[in-house]
Amino acid sequence: MASQTQEGCMRKPELAAAIAERADLSKDKASQVLNVILDEITGSVSQGNDVALIGFGTFTVRERAARTGKNPQTGKPLKIPASKTVAFRPGKGLKDAVAK
């Protein structure tokens, strides 16, 4: 199982180190591979394409409609413009691993 920091959150350097160990790569090479993977996911999603990693999950672009919000300091209504955001939908393999 992958190691985690004391805060219970695996960060990019720890993930690269785990990849290096499991794939028999140097830490620098594993970090480079991880950066390429993340760059490709970012590039594809930024172009509006989904990225599906079977068993892990799918990154998708979701559109948020314009809406009216409320300024928390004054209570006055304000318009929140439409925007795009990234969503992650976990796959069956990830769901099953978390449920254990």
Side-chain angles (χ1 to χ4, degrees), residues 17-58:
I19 292 169
E21 186 177 321
R22 294 199 50 195
D24 194 28
L25 297 171
S26 70
K27 286 185 182 181
D28 287 341
K29 193 65 165 174
S31 182
Q32 184 180 9
V33 169
L34 180 58
N35 286 333
V36 169
I37 291 168
L38 296 176
D39 288 346
E40 288 300 317
I41 291 171
T42 301
S44 186
V45 172
S46 70
Q47 293 176 3
N49 300 316
D50 291 353
V51 176
L53 305 171
I54 304 302
F56 181 72
T58 304

Side-chain angles (χ1 to χ4, degrees), residues 81-94:
S83 64
K84 291 182 181 180
T85 188
V86 177
F88 178 75
R89 192 173 52 246
K92 183 177 180 351
L94 182 57

